[in-house]
Amino acid sequence: MWRLMVVFTVGMLGLSACVATTGDGVERITGGEANAIRLNQLDLVNAVRAQVGSPPLTLSSELTAAAETHARDIASQLRAWNFGSDRSSPQTRAERAGFNGIVTSEDVAETFMGNTEIFQAWISNARAREAMQNPAATHMGLGWYQEASGKLWWVMDIGAASRAVQVATAE
């Protein structure tokens, strides 16, 4: 628990300088901050995984692309859920983005909170926490879409890089 608190505190301090505030008082995430935010989220998830002995995840550009696409899509649907406007599943979206494996979980949120706060919300949810700790998972992607109002639509996809890994752990 101590390690998680340290990682969380360092992450919050590091990201506090990464969000720009506009004249209207709305905090905006800029393109230059995207990698730092994703790496911070990865560190937070990996700290939770370490507590239960699960190996660390690697950031996946394919899962990130799928998450970004879905974040924009759920924003246009005005609904934070796991179905695409074309009724696609997290697995279908990941495959379209080039991910060669199994999506083990997808968490979505509609909020004005930043990534560390949304991490807190997700980790407080038993299902989301278990998905983050899944020892079969190997990769993570994080995407978001921010409206002009500042509202954020977050998507975090976690997956196992190979279908063989998923099948082997299920037996």
Side-chain angles (χ1 to χ4, degrees):
M1 184 64 169
W2 175 250
R3 180 176 178 200
L4 177 60
M5 292 300 293
V6 170
V7 169
F8 180 73
T9 302
V10 170
M12 285 185 65
L13 291 173
L15 285 179
S16 64
C18 290
V19 178
T21 303
T22 61
D24 59 4
V26 175
E27 291 185 353
R28 305 257 185 249
I29 298 174
T30 66
E33 300 157 354
N35 195 44
I37 289 169
R38 286 189 182 95
L39 291 175
N40 176 258
Q41 188 82 358
L42 181 66
D43 286 344
L44 292 170
V45 170
N46 280 337
V48 169
R49 291 175 65 77
Q51 290 179 335
V52 297
S54 292
L57 299 178
T58 302
L59 195 60
S60 164
S61 59
E62 295 86 5
L63 287 178
T64 293
E68 287 176 342
T69 299
H70 191 52
R72 182 172 295 275
D73 187 34
I74 60 175
S76 71
Q77 295 182 63
L78 299 175
R79 186 174 184 176
W81 67 334
N82 300 104
F83 297 99
S85 57
D86 62 355
R87 299 292 184 238
S88 60
S89 67
Q91 182 66 43
T92 300
R93 291 188 296 276
E95 288 172 0
R96 287 178 188 161
F99 186 69
N100 185 22
I102 300 288
V103 174
T104 58
S105 72
E106 177 174 81
D107 290 304
V108 297
E110 168 190 2
T111 183
F112 285 90
M113 296 186 291
N115 86 293
T116 51
E117 294 88 2
I118 199 59
F119 171 79
Q120 285 180 322
W122 284 335
I123 201 66
S124 297
N125 176 286
R127 189 214 46 84
R129 184 178 53 256
E130 288 173 15
M132 286 183 210
Q133 295 172 335
N134 180 349
T138 58
H139 288 78
M140 184 193 94
L142 181 70
W144 60 87
Y145 174 76
Q146 188 167 28
E147 295 179 357
S149 67
K151 181 190 289 186
L152 287 155
W153 298 82
W154 292 100
V155 177
M156 180 172 66
D157 287 330
I158 296 177
S162 152
R163 293 178 192 273
V165 170
Q166 185 68 19
V167 170
T169 59
E171 295 176 352

